[in-house]
Amino acid sequence: MNDYLLDIENLQVQYVTDDGTVSAVNGIDIKLQKGKTLGLVGETGAGKTTTAMSILRLVPHPPGKIIGGTIRLDDTDIFNISEKEMERMRGNIVSMIFQDPMTALNPVITVGDQIAEAIMIHQKLNQEKANKKAEEMLELVGIPGNRRNDYPHQFSGGMKQRVIIAIALSCSPKLLIADEPTTALDVTIQAQVLELMKELKTKYEMSMILITHDLGVVAEVCDDVAIMYAGRIVEKGSLQDIFLTTKHPYTEGLFNSIPNIDNRKAELKPIKGLMSDPYNLPTGCSFADRCDYVMPICREKSPQKIFFSENHYTECHLYATDIDFKLGRHQE
Amino acid sequence: MSEILLEVKNLKKYFDTPKGKLHAVDDVNFSIEKGKTLGIVGESGCGKSTTGRVILRLLEATGGEVLYKGRNILSIDKNEMRELRKEMQIIFQDPFSSLDPRMSVSQIIEEPIKLNKLIVNKEDRYNRVLELMDLVGLSRRLINTYPHELDGGRRQRIGIARALALNTEFIVCDEPVSALDVSIQAQILNLMKSLQKQLGLTYIFITHDLSVVNHFSDDIAVMYLGKIVEKAPSEELFTHPVHPYTQALLSAIPRPSLDKRSEKIILKGEITSPINPKANCRFSNRCNYAEDICRETEPSLKEISPGHFVACHLFDGSK
């Protein structure tokens, strides 16, 4: 028996282009329990969205190619089912909220019809019942039901994102993947949408993967956090593990790069340099060139997972020899 | 002692739309001392970018005055304005679309120097470009590359180098780090801070990101629908926000820490239309404290403690 809703093992995804091969995801493992929220954090190009697309089996092919690993979703090995079966899973078992609410909706179809479409396909309801359900979904996300005959351009950004959430939730999926759901929104609207998502998550006992680069949002919503860098999960643990006992130098660097809102005198300590070229990842640890703690071994061998507790691990050589090694951030 | 570099008085910018007049900037007043940074924060559509553009006359104002070194630049002619542009520059938000893709790094940085005939000798100009690249931390080997070969952080450095190419004293920074990843964002913020110290620059820093503005600015003005609703030194604004909108805005910031779980003030509804606004408090329909007076008359900006201004009927003594 498997009590994980989602179980990703050693997932590897590449994009083969004329300029070379991009290793976007390089062997990641994610286990997610029912009702839990995982934050997937990292910068542009870390492989967050590619990971999400793999779970939906929507990695564009070509150029994208899943070259290894397995994904079990709700006890189904999704790489071993037909496209038809996969279609049935999308929407019903797993659905996704995309980053940009301005482009994710069809401009020439009313929002009500866009919500009803998903319901008709997946729940086999007739138009009339689907329309009714669409209206309920709109009410659920805080939009008056009588606006279902309006077109997307008649809604503001925050409301469009609510419509997208309504579509994603219309078939009560077990897993919701939200790719930067609030990045395009203003803070006061972001607060409204995050509140709504938290509420709905509890109501439907949904699991959620929240992709974001904003550690503030993570602190608000997530139970577990995975920090991604150059296609690997470099540190994973509970919210407390990541925020209070940070282990990986990259995680530390992320925290030190954010202006501290409660102490404006604190100096920013940026991570030096840039993310390594995904066409040509270095041997050893991908973060070595930007790391303040780099050792000779980091450039030779890829680090292995080192566990601090059942749930908290990091991939870093610093702890291979000395498990009690302390990063600068916590000596202050 | 402190010398006022820029003063904005009753600045207005209205746009004509089919539905009526859109009040993008409506009667805005502030001043900035030399070498200081004024942060302007607000949500999309509050008029913060328009304010920056009107000050530089990239858009013509509908009314009001912009006094730069005591001179109203809204009334000077084209040639005088061209002279002034050598001192007043802008850094744009998106380093992906603000650089000409067909020009190399050296051409981009050189262009303003060449156009303004600041350095006529070609070799001297080349050396000045190298100097500027060093100043903003761009490696010299990139001099002949094109923008598409560079990442966002480096492109933003080019934008900064170009803004500094003349005798720049004053820069409007319009969301300069919003398009960048956090680790790169910190690099650029640190660079802009050290340049300010080194060259005595004065900034207007326009952003929607409150933690960045707090870190970066001496004073902060909060805008809502074309109006400044509160203005105070950064420390004061963040510790004692008094306007209900500022309070909601500050509480809405997701904080990257596990302690300090303060209660969020969730605002009802969304920003209303800035077209033909009524003469009342523009925040009144979303405000938790709104009373009849708020819906009927417009509050004016009043000083409630030294340097701390707020436009809200709760504080204007009528209550």
Side-chain angles (χ1 to χ4, degrees), chain A residues 274-313:
Chain A
L274 303 167
M275 176 141 21
S276 21
D277 183 4
Y279 284 104
N280 190 10
L281 289 177
T283 29
C285 174
S286 310
F287 189 61
D289 285 338
R290 304 179 72 184
C291 184
D292 287 333
Y293 306 92
V294 64
M295 305 178 291
I297 186 173
C298 303
R299 299 187 200 276
E300 289 156 20
K301 257 175 68 185
S302 293
Q304 300 292 312
K305 282 196 185 81
I306 292 169
F307 285 86
F308 301 95
S309 66
E310 202 189 334
N311 190 24
H312 186 196
Y313 70 80

Side-chain angles (χ1 to χ4, degrees), chain A residues 42-44 156-159 162 186-192 194-195 213-217 219-220 239-240 243-244 254-274 290, chain B residues 42-44 151 154 181-187 189-190 193 208 210-218 234-235 238 245 248-250 252-261 264 266-271 286:
Chain A
E43 296 179 89
T44 320
S156 65
M159 289 177 101
R162 284 164 191 264
D186 282 318
V187 278
T188 57
I189 309 300
Q190 165 171 289
Q192 291 174 355
L194 287 179
E195 202 59 28
H213 63 275
D214 187 335
L215 286 163
V217 172
E220 303 258 322
L239 195 60
Q240 283 73 15
F243 278 69
L244 303 178
L254 283 180
F255 278 110
N256 287 342
S257 298
I258 319 173
N260 183 342
I261 199 146
D262 299 309
N263 175 11
R264 53 185 304 267
K265 296 274 144 45
E267 206 188 323
L268 295 184
K269 290 188 219 97
I271 305 171
K272 62 186 180 200
L274 303 167
R290 304 179 72 184
Chain B
E43 300 182 272
S44 8
D151 61 276
R154 290 212 176 100
D181 275 319
V182 275
S183 72
I184 308 299
Q185 174 177 319
Q187 292 176 359
L189 287 174
N190 280 355
K193 257 200 159 165
H208 69 279
L210 288 139
S211 35
V212 167
V213 83
N214 181 31
H215 175 79
F216 204 82
S217 312
D218 299 293
S234 306
E235 187 90 52
F238 274 78
Y245 176 64
L249 202 59
L250 292 183
I253 310 169
R255 283 160 206 251
S257 80
L258 298 184
D259 33 279
K260 297 223 170 98
R261 296 270 84 169
K264 274 204 180 350
I266 306 271
L267 287 177
K268 310 170 282 214
E270 307 199 6
I271 209 158
R286 294 176 78 190

Side-chain angles (χ1 to χ4, degrees), chain B residues 3 5 24 37 43 52 65 68 73-74 85 98 115 118 172 176 182 229 240 266 279 299 306:
Chain B
E3 177 195 338
L5 184 81
T37 302
E43 300 182 272
E65 290 177 21
Y68 179 75
I73 64 168
L74 297 185
R85 288 214 199 282
S98 60
L115 287 178
L118 220 60
V172 172
V182 275
V229 295
H240 302 108
I266 306 271

